[in-house]
């Protein structure tokens, strides 16, 4: 059983999200990117290496995860990348003072259903503050009973599924893991529902 501070592992979802970023690396220079629930920060680190202005965040209640973010930055020569303590569902001074963002990243943050609404309230807050932004997220299908569809509707968010084959991430070696369990990975882009009409 993995350590309770899940952010100390590179999960298959992080590899798939990093592949999506790599496939779009030409569009990343100058983009303002925030990774939430970053843990070891593979997607955020890759975005920074591709020229994005990146901020990494994880729960202020998980100091080992924040330390993992900082260590990943140092090991990759990215000591200038800020690491912030942001806890899902909590309005904090750090959340309120975030600069504008274009892309929010989250890999495998839809892990525990009790956190789903807190995650989406935080995402909604960020998208309301940055209406042009998008939330790029990958998640592992762990149960057919787990769904965020009703919460997306409640928070006036829309999602677009992104097929893994469209960015070369449908290969077994990308989404596999030595960790136990099934590893069916999916990706979606979430944005404000009213962004349809603009």
């Amino acid at each position: 059983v993995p350590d309770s501070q899940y952010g100390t592992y590179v999960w298959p979802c992080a590899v798939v999200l990093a592949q999506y970023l790599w496939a779009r690396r030409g569009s990343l220079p100058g983009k303002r990117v925030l990774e939430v629930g970053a843990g070891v920060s593979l997607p955020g680190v890759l975005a920074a290496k591709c020229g994005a202005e990146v901020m990494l965040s994880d729960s202020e209640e998980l100091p080992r995860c924040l330390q993992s973010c900082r260590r990943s930055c140092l090991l990759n020569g990215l000591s200038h990348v800020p690491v912030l303590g942001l806890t899902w569902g909590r309005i904090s001074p750090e959340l309120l003072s975030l600069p504008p963002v274009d892309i929010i990243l989250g890999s495998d943050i839809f892990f525990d259903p009790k956190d789903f609404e807190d995650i989406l309230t935080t995402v909604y807050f960020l998208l309301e503050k940055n209406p042009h932004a998008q939330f790029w997220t990958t998640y592992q299908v762990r149960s057919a009973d787990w769904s965020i569809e009703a919460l997306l509707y409640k928070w006036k968010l829309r999602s677009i599924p992104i097929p893994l084959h469209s960015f070369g991430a449908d290969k077994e070696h990308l989404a596999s893991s030595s960790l136990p369990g099934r590893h069916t990975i999916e990706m979606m882009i979430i944005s404000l529902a009213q962004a349809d009409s603009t």
Side-chain angles (χ1 to χ4, degrees):
V1 176
D3 186 282
S4 61
Q5 301 214 40
Y6 305 114
T8 57
Y9 299 89
V10 177
W11 294 89
C13 287
V15 178
V16 172
L17 187 54
Q19 176 72 14
Y20 187 76
L21 289 159
W22 182 250
R24 277 145 192 77
R25 62 191 175 276
S27 68
L28 291 175
K31 292 284 191 216
R32 297 162 301 189
V33 174
L34 169 67
E35 186 175 3
V36 295
V40 294
S41 318
L42 176 62
V45 164
L46 179 64
K49 289 285 198 175
C50 290
E53 298 172 31
V54 173
M55 295 173 287
L56 301 174
S57 70
D58 212 311
S59 173
E60 59 196 331
E61 298 167 359
L62 299 174
R64 285 182 55 201
C65 293
L66 292 169
Q67 189 55 38
S68 288
C69 292
R70 291 185 189 98
R71 191 169 43 251
S72 291
C73 289
L74 289 174
L75 291 172
N76 285 281
L78 300 169
S79 57
H80 64 282
V81 171
V83 175
L84 312 166
L86 298 178
T87 301
W88 299 322
R90 184 179 300 159
I91 301 298
S92 65
E94 291 77 16
L95 182 66
L96 292 171
S97 64
L98 278 176
V101 296
D102 301 304
I103 301 165
I104 304 157
L105 302 174
S107 69
D108 213 4
I109 61 174
F110 294 105
F111 182 84
D112 188 339
K114 73 175 177 49
D115 295 327
F116 288 2
E117 187 154 24
D118 285 344
I119 293 165
L120 287 175
T121 57
T122 300
V123 168
Y124 177 79
F125 175 85
L126 291 167
L127 292 176
E128 272 283 296
K129 198 172 164 186
N130 304 277
H132 66 283
Q134 295 181 328
F135 175 42
W136 298 359
T137 185
T138 50
Y139 60 97
Q140 183 173 329
V141 179
R142 292 185 169 86
S143 170
D145 297 334
W146 295 0
S147 174
I148 63 167
E149 210 57 43
L151 291 171
L152 289 172
Y153 181 78
K154 176 181 177 180
W155 287 99
K156 298 179 179 60
L157 298 169
R158 67 177 177 125
S159 68
I160 300 169
I162 307 296
L164 298 192
H165 68 82
S166 70
F167 57 99
D170 56 339
K171 298 170 181 51
E172 181 69 27
H173 70 280
L174 279 177
S176 65
S177 171
S178 60
L179 296 167
R182 265 178 60 228
H183 299 286
T184 302
I185 309 298
E186 297 194 10
M187 178 170 178
M188 65 181 150
I189 294 179
I190 296 174
S191 58
L192 292 175
Q194 69 264 28
D196 280 340
S197 59
T198 58

